[in-house]
Amino acid sequence: MKKSVWVVLGLSLLSLMGCGDESQPYQSTTPQIYSEQGDAADDSTLAYYHSVSVELERKDVEPRYQDLLDKCQQVTEYQCTLTSSYLNTDRYIQANVEVRILPAGVNDFLALASLEGETKNLSTTSEDLTGAIVDNDQRLAMLMDYKKELLDLKKISGQDVSALVQIASELAQVQSQIETAQGEQAKLKQRVNLDVVSVSLYSYEPTSFMTPIKDAGNGFITNLSESIGQAITAVAYLLPWLPILAIFVYVLRKAWFFARRGKQKENS
């Protein structure tokens, strides 16, 4: 019985090693670009990425940025998830919002982004994940079969402590690999089921003659307080060195005095 257990276990290990090289995911390096989503969005193995740039009036950029954040949070039927956001309110105001959202909500999200604005760039790219999905599913099925074989071996191993220990160790490794494969499967499904939408908002509206003056006036108190703070910090650093500087100056003056006195004696 002991020999049969180890023979079957060894064959199972060889089977797992032989299939391991086929589990490398395939990633497309030449994604296709579409002007609009169309029928290709129904393909269950394509992951879509939409990008749009919208020029707005300066006063509308920040409110539109907040509108997009609110829409992603409030419209739950589109399963929207915010992945990144950015807002710059300096002289050249700009913002960026990137979300994952169901294909049904892409048009609404883009319509809100471009409302009362001028769309400058709009693109859709897709990545074919067929190879990655198939490879991962096959690997997961193989690992589940191997786990079942190990559990069957555990039942027939009886009181063979050495075999039980070996099987338990192998089961732990297989379970870890199964969880990794399941996590990758969930990630691939998310990439296929939810489109990525990236919206860039900006304004090239020229500033008025008074804008730099207003900006300087608004920052006057802040700049003044920072300058005072820096001056106080400089004094704090300088105080410990004052006695040393005083001694150094005193020594220099004494040396200069004696040198001058000696020169006067020579002249006389």
Side-chain angles (χ1 to χ4, degrees):
M1 178 65 70
K2 181 176 179 180
K3 287 185 177 180
S4 64
V5 170
W6 285 108
V7 169
V8 175
L9 180 59
L11 291 175
S12 299
L13 287 171
L14 289 175
S15 175
L16 181 64
M17 291 172 63
C19 298
D21 294 337
E22 300 178 359
S23 62
Q24 295 296 328
Y26 167 79
Q27 294 184 354
S28 175
T29 58
T30 56
Q32 300 177 19
I33 300 177
Y34 299 91
S35 59
E36 55 185 44
Q37 195 164 335
D39 296 336
D42 296 331
D43 196 307
S44 61
T45 61
L46 291 181
Y48 284 90
Y49 180 89
H50 310 273
S51 176
V52 63
S53 298
V54 180
E55 183 177 355
L56 298 166
E57 293 185 10
R58 181 180 178 88
K59 63 182 179 60
D60 293 333
V61 173
E62 186 171 357
R64 185 61 47 78
Y65 166 80
Q66 191 59 51
D67 289 342
L68 292 174
L69 297 183
D70 293 341
K71 185 175 183 65
C72 183
Q73 183 178 5
Q74 295 170 4
V75 185
T76 56
E77 63 265 27
Y78 292 148
Q79 299 181 19
C80 184
T81 302
L82 179 67
T83 57
S84 67
S85 64
Y86 167 79
L87 175 65
N88 178 24
T89 57
D90 288 339
R91 184 173 302 177
Y92 299 103
I93 185 168
Q94 57 184 342
N96 180 267
V97 177
E98 184 175 288
V99 300
R100 287 189 177 275
I101 192 171
L102 287 175
V106 172
N107 289 336
D108 287 347
F109 199 81
L110 294 179
L112 175 61
S114 58
L115 183 64
E116 298 179 353
E118 185 177 354
T119 300
K120 294 296 186 179
N121 297 291
L122 175 62
S123 66
T124 297
T125 62
S126 64
E127 180 181 4
D128 189 356
L129 299 179
T130 303
I133 292 173
V134 171
D135 288 348
N136 190 75
D137 288 347
Q138 289 178 348
R139 176 171 173 76
L140 184 58
M142 178 193 66
L143 290 170
M144 296 298 292
D145 290 342
Y146 183 43
K147 180 180 178 180
K148 184 177 181 299
E149 292 177 5
L150 289 173
L151 292 174
D152 292 339
L153 284 174
K154 185 177 181 181
K155 293 178 182 178
I156 65 175
S157 61
Q159 302 299 320
D160 190 338
V161 177
S162 179
L164 288 173
V165 170
Q166 181 67 21
I167 292 172
S169 175
E170 192 66 22
L171 274 171
Q173 295 182 21
V174 171
Q175 183 60 37
S176 176
Q177 295 178 28
I178 288 174
E179 293 174 358
T180 300
Q182 289 174 338
E184 183 65 23
Q185 184 184 58
K187 186 185 300 182
L188 290 170
K189 286 183 177 179
Q190 182 190 56
R191 292 179 63 188
V192 169
N193 295 334
L194 298 177
D195 290 8
V196 177
V197 180
S198 179
V199 176
S200 295
L201 308 172
Y202 63 92
S203 174
Y204 281 152
E205 181 180 333
T207 57
S208 65
F209 175 79
M210 294 299 296
T211 299
I213 300 176
K214 291 179 179 179
D215 293 342
N218 293 334
F220 176 79
I221 300 299
T222 301
N223 294 332
L224 178 61
S225 62
E226 289 180 354
S227 299
I228 295 174
Q230 292 174 0
I232 295 173
T233 301
V235 171
Y237 278 107
L238 185 60
L239 282 175
W241 293 93
L242 287 179
I244 299 176
L245 290 175
I247 295 173
F248 182 71
V249 171
Y250 175 78
V251 170
L252 284 178
R253 290 190 64 184
K254 283 293 185 181
W256 177 80
F257 174 77
F258 285 118
R260 185 179 178 184
R261 187 176 179 181
K263 190 175 181 180
Q264 291 176 350
K265 286 183 178 180
E266 292 177 358
N267 293 334
S268 60

